[in-house]
Amino acid sequence: MRPVVHLLPKVKHRVFSGHPWIFSTEIGSVDGAFSPGDIVEVRDPRGRFVCLGYINPESTITVRVLSREDRDIDEAFFKERVRQAVEYRRFLFGLSGSFGDDPGGYRLVYSEGDFLPGLVVDIFAGYVSFQTLTLGIDRWKETLIEAVNEYVSPKGIYERNDAPVRRLEGMSLRTGYLGEPFDPVIEMDENGVTVLVDIQRGQKTGYFLDQSENRLLIRKHLAGKSVLDAFSYSGGFGLSALKGGASGVLFMDASEAALDLARAAAGRNRFSGGASFEMANAFDALRDYERSGRKFGAVLLDPPAFARSRKMVESALAGYKEINLRAMKVVEDGGILCTSSCSQHVTPQEFDDMLEEAAKDAKVSLRVIERRGQRADHPVLSGVPETEYLKFRMFQVLKW
Ligand code: SAH
């Protein structure tokens, strides 16, 4: 018998309208013995079946939904879900063969967006970066790896289970090759540019694929411009700008390792002439440029998530406002500002309102060129606002 989770009466349960999370505050009782990570059945206050999911009382999201059908949750279930995720990417990118043969990068599985909460699988030129971020999904790790091997025939797999969120689930951190080792610095094609992905030491899974389309999009608007790529990481945006004919790009990041990757990639693309690199805190550097009157034809801002919880939103917005205000001041009149936020807890509305305030303080008008989010291999589910985390805006900055 499966343990049964009873939902409290008189609570607005989002799970009834398709949401994949059940919070501890929504649960009345649990019948039956269970261990964290076990599959449970969820019933409404009248005792009717709602869904199946996995439980972890250590997490405020106590149950994550796996299926709304009353069925076996077994190896076949998880393999089928991975297969569906692969099918969706084939459809998105028009691929017919194995991802292992493709020189580009894709997110193959993205957690709730693929109905596999807690699982993240990225493909970089045929190599896989693999993460199981919740206890409930980590239990099925072997099966999930088997499915990835079966459906995409990767050249190699690296486990990136060093995300600190695993600790909140009561798990330890671990990394390493799953199978044969390989050179962890992978050369990958992105929109006709060579980028370098350090699958072992790079940030998160190794490379930020969610911005891929946005990197291509900026290209046609930056020809001839001097560009500041602030928070550049391994250089994805700036390299694309150079491909599009930017007169020069200053790559800036607080991490020397990130800049080393950007520098090496600039060399591989023969872009070195137009590229310069500065290890700095972008907040300080922008203030210095403002004081000294240094201007750029375009500024690209792509900071890390400033808000890790809803409680941090206010201070995060203050940080976003500060950095955007400074960027607006160092863009030439008529120049371009591309600005992003990957904080899941900051809504698109809050982000846009913050930008408007910054523009007012900087005494500029922002003419909207693009308003976008993450690429569709990081699926957004309607009715699940938490899946829509990336905000990307491109503006022309016009002085009052
Ligand atoms: N634009 C990148 C992704 C940026 S991720 C891309 O397209 O791939 C955020 C980056 O900001 C990280 O590389 C991190 O090292 C850097 N960073 C964090 N705080 C910073 C700061 N205060 N100043 C400069 N860089 C910072």
Side-chain angles (χ1 to χ4, degrees):
M1 277 297 289
R2 282 192 288 238
V4 177
V5 171
H6 296 280
L7 295 177
L8 280 172
K10 299 195 187 86
V11 172
K12 197 173 168 285
H13 295 291
R14 289 198 298 169
V15 66
F16 296 160
S17 44
H19 201 279
W21 294 346
I22 299 169
F23 288 91
S24 56
T25 49
E26 295 179 78
I27 295 172
S29 60
V30 184
D31 279 344
F34 67 89
S35 306
D38 280 356
I39 306 293
V40 293
E41 182 176 322
V42 177
R43 292 201 195 145
D44 74 9
R46 290 170 62 186
R48 292 172 302 195
F49 176 88
V50 177
C51 62
L52 300 172
Y54 59 72
I55 188 165
N56 188 355
E58 295 219 9
S59 165
T60 48
I61 305 172
T62 306
V63 177
R64 292 182 196 247
V65 176
L66 285 169
S67 174
R68 286 170 187 274
E69 213 186 307
D70 195 357
R71 52 156 298 160
D72 286 340
I73 302 294
D74 51 12
E75 290 181 6
F77 169 84
F78 285 101
K79 283 193 160 178
E80 178 57 15
R81 283 281 158 92
V82 173
R83 199 190 60 76
Q84 287 164 350
V86 172
E87 278 309 311
Y88 174 61
R89 273 63 182 184
R90 292 214 165 107
F91 151 79
L92 267 187
F93 300 116
L95 297 167
S96 51
S98 157
F99 286 87
D101 298 330
D102 196 284
Y106 316 89
R107 177 147 290 187
L108 195 69
V109 181
Y110 195 21
S111 206
E112 276 80 3
D114 286 294
F115 307 99
L116 283 166
L119 178 66
V120 175
V121 182
D122 276 351
I123 302 233
F124 303 121
Y127 294 94
V128 164
S129 180
F130 182 94
Q131 287 185 324
T132 39
L133 301 175
T134 58
L135 189 61
I137 204 77
D138 194 68
R139 289 267 193 100
W140 299 90
K141 194 171 117 183
E142 295 312 315
T143 301
L144 295 162
I145 291 164
E146 231 180 82
V148 168
N149 271 321
E150 189 171 323
Y151 299 130
V152 305
S153 316
K155 294 179 181 146
I157 304 186
Y158 196 83
E159 176 178 5
R160 279 303 299 262
N161 273 332
D162 52 345
V165 293
R166 274 174 60 99
R167 289 216 179 91
L168 302 178
E169 289 268 331
M171 291 188 289
S172 59
L173 307 190
R174 51 177 298 166
T175 58
Y177 295 97
L178 298 172
E180 286 299 300
F182 51 89
D183 181 351
V185 181
I186 297 159
E187 203 171 287
M188 179 176 89
D189 177 84
E190 185 179 65
N191 309 314
V193 171
T194 299
V195 297
L196 293 175
V197 181
D198 188 338
I199 206 168
Q200 186 174 46
R201 294 199 185 82
Q203 298 183 24
K204 299 286 180 83
T205 61
Y207 190 74
F208 298 97
L209 293 166
D210 51 359
Q211 292 273 28
S212 267
E213 271 179 0
N214 300 331
R215 293 192 188 105
L216 178 61
L217 208 96
I218 63 158
R219 196 178 285 175
K220 63 175 186 266
H221 299 296
L222 300 186
K225 293 200 187 298
S226 62
V227 177
L228 171 64
D229 182 357
F231 307 94
S232 68
Y233 182 47
S234 54
F237 274 104
L239 294 167
S240 186
L242 287 166
K243 178 82 176 175
S247 60
V249 172
L250 173 55
F251 295 85
M252 179 183 292
D253 203 281
S255 153
E256 189 66 54
L259 290 174
D260 285 343
L261 287 171
R263 197 178 286 113
R268 305 269 170 112
N269 290 285
R270 303 188 191 284
F271 290 158
S272 301
S276 48
F277 304 86
E278 188 176 331
M279 187 174 92
N281 178 332
F283 285 88
D284 298 340
L286 281 168
R287 194 187 48 223
D288 293 346
Y289 297 155
E290 188 193 329
R291 283 194 186 140
S292 65
R294 180 164 180 190
K295 300 275 183 190
F296 296 89
V299 176
L300 319 177
L301 293 181
D302 185 16
F306 290 157
R308 260 174 244 102
S309 70
R310 191 61 212 167
K311 287 192 200 100
M312 290 167 77
V313 166
E314 211 173 307
S315 67
L317 285 169
Y320 284 120
K321 184 176 170 192
E322 187 178 338
I323 196 84
N324 278 280
L325 174 64
R326 287 180 187 175
M328 289 172 197
K329 289 184 175 169
V330 304
V331 175
E332 289 163 5
D333 191 14
I336 301 294
L337 171 66
C338 295
T339 182
S340 302
S341 162
C342 59
S343 299
Q344 183 215 93
H345 300 282
V346 172
T347 67
Q349 189 63 54
E350 285 169 334
F351 187 61
D352 287 328
D353 290 348
M354 174 279 299
L355 289 168
E356 207 178 299
E357 273 185 39
K360 196 172 64 189
D361 290 0
K363 297 190 165 43
V364 298
S365 292
L366 300 175
R367 185 184 267 158
V368 179
I369 302 173
E370 294 285 351
R371 266 206 183 115
R372 299 171 55 90
Q374 68 242 32
R375 193 171 65 178
D377 53 344
H378 298 61
V380 174
L381 296 181
S382 94
V384 190
E386 295 86 350
T387 55
E388 186 179 359
Y389 66 93
L390 184 66
K391 283 77 60 187
F392 171 86
R393 307 286 182 261
M394 186 190 308
F395 299 114
Q396 187 181 33
V397 179
L398 302 158
K399 298 256 162 8
W400 283 1

